[in-house]
Amino acid sequence: MAERIVLAGGGSAGHVNPMLATAAELRRRRPDTELVLLGTADGLEAELVPAAGFELTVIEKVPLPRRPSADVLRFPRRWRAATATARKVVAGAAAVVGFGGYVATPAYLAGRALGVPIVVHEQNARPGLANRLGARWAAAVGITFEGTPLPKARLVGLPLRPAIAQLVRDRAVDPEARARAGAEACGLDPDRTTVLVTGGSLGAARLNATVPRLASALVEAGAQVLHLTGKGKSSAVLDLLEAAQPPVREHYHVREYLTEMEQALACADLVVSRAGAGMVSELAALGVPAVYVPLPVGNGEQRLNARPVVSAGGGLLVADHELTPDWLRAHLLPLVSDADQRAQMGADAARAGITDAAARLTDLVLDVSRSR
């Protein structure tokens, strides 16, 4: 009978992409192992898991009610359904690998109850509730950023999406050719310095309102800008560019999103972005210098995510409220004009980056499963 490993992660791309990268590495090394991917019917995993060639086992999404509502009454039934599904797939497994979020908690509880070894992977520098719980019982804990406060933590990095892992390999062979190909795929001039601005799929209001105000200065300094505004948020940026001269508008490219993000990263000489774990990890692995503008809400994990690469010299960190046209003029424009400084920052970023995180995490999983 084939060994079975359960991977649980869902909701956000930050949970799903590392799960898929790890599943792919497990399948490559152990093709006879049965892999069960646990997720919800309405999260990103419902689309991404089948697209990656895996079957999704659906589990009830059961967020803990935070205020009196009808969800309080529905919670016990939904929780029982979720835990029953988790126990069914975890029973007899060689290991449970959790990536955080709603899906991971029932899987961790099932693993603990059934004596199945648990491996936790935490993407952020400040861990979430589910992984703090799972780490209490885990046989192994992999973290993305040094200093993440979990027991038994071992630095493994963030397993990279296949397209980014391939880009890392391509850049190692011929970075100039790959950059030109990326620029052409994005409709950009391969001979101009490329500044990529992105706030993620939801966009970032501060980036959208601030960076276009320097459009003329950036273009005059020899740059072109690819600004990804987030879905439904391009009009505010286009309004700011309306008064710009035609040569400026020609080199300031506005899109709401880009499906093949790896093409933009292939040709980016400098990035201005939020500091989500995925973006920080991918830019560091690729050796791309960046200006990180952490999300100003939440528990402050984005600032902590960026801290290692910034401390290594691979990027700049600026608070959301401090990102002004004057700040960009003083800090971003000099980088656009100084290829040597960008190259040094890129090298420093690469030294802080981890390109083999999927292999490292898979090592933990297989070590745990062999110890049974």
Side-chain angles (χ1 to χ4, degrees), residues 179-226:
R180 296 187 72 85
E184 291 168 2
C186 293
L188 303 175
D189 182 347
D191 295 318
R192 289 185 76 93
T193 300
T194 300
V195 178
L196 171 64
V197 181
T198 174
S201 60
L202 298 178
R206 178 71 65 172
L207 271 61
N208 290 346
T210 307
V211 180
R213 297 182 186 277
L214 259 73
S216 296
L218 287 166
V219 172
E220 288 170 6
Q224 62 189 337
V225 179
L226 176 56

Side-chain angles (χ1 to χ4, degrees), residues 147-354:
T148 301
L150 289 175
K152 298 185 288 290
R154 185 181 304 181
L155 182 67
V156 299
L158 188 75
L160 299 174
R161 296 179 289 131
I164 301 301
Q166 183 60 51
L167 179 56
V168 170
R169 292 190 289 269
D170 292 345
R171 286 166 66 93
V173 174
D174 192 339
E176 184 175 345
R178 187 62 184 89
R180 296 187 72 85
E184 291 168 2
C186 293
L188 303 175
D189 182 347
D191 295 318
R192 289 185 76 93
T193 300
T194 300
V195 178
L196 171 64
V197 181
T198 174
S201 60
L202 298 178
R206 178 71 65 172
L207 271 61
N208 290 346
T210 307
V211 180
R213 297 182 186 277
L214 259 73
S216 296
L218 287 166
V219 172
E220 288 170 6
Q224 62 189 337
V225 179
L226 176 56
H227 190 140
L228 306 180
T229 67
K231 294 182 180 180
K233 298 179 180 178
S234 61
S235 58
V237 174
L238 292 172
D239 287 346
L240 290 171
L241 295 172
E242 190 172 349
Q245 296 299 313
V248 175
R249 294 198 298 270
E250 177 187 354
H251 295 297
Y252 200 108
H253 304 260
V254 178
R255 298 192 190 183
E256 294 196 345
Y257 64 97
L258 188 65
T259 303
E260 295 180 333
M261 188 66 173
E262 66 276 8
Q263 301 292 5
L265 295 177
C267 63
D269 296 292
L270 185 61
V271 176
V272 183
S273 79
R274 291 300 193 198
M279 181 58 76
V280 173
S281 298
E282 290 178 2
L283 292 177
L286 292 166
V288 178
V291 172
Y292 293 108
V293 190
L295 191 69
V297 298
N299 60 8
E301 73 272 9
Q302 287 204 357
R303 174 174 287 274
L304 296 175
N305 290 347
R307 187 169 60 187
V309 69
V310 170
S311 296
L316 303 178
L317 186 67
V318 56
D320 187 83
H321 70 278
E322 294 176 352
L323 186 76
T324 64
D326 285 344
W327 191 97
L328 289 171
R329 194 170 286 108
H331 297 88
L332 182 67
L333 281 180
L335 287 175
V336 169
S337 304
D338 193 337
D340 289 340
Q341 187 177 0
R342 290 198 310 272
Q344 183 60 58
M345 288 180 67
D348 291 339
R351 280 192 290 274
I354 296 175

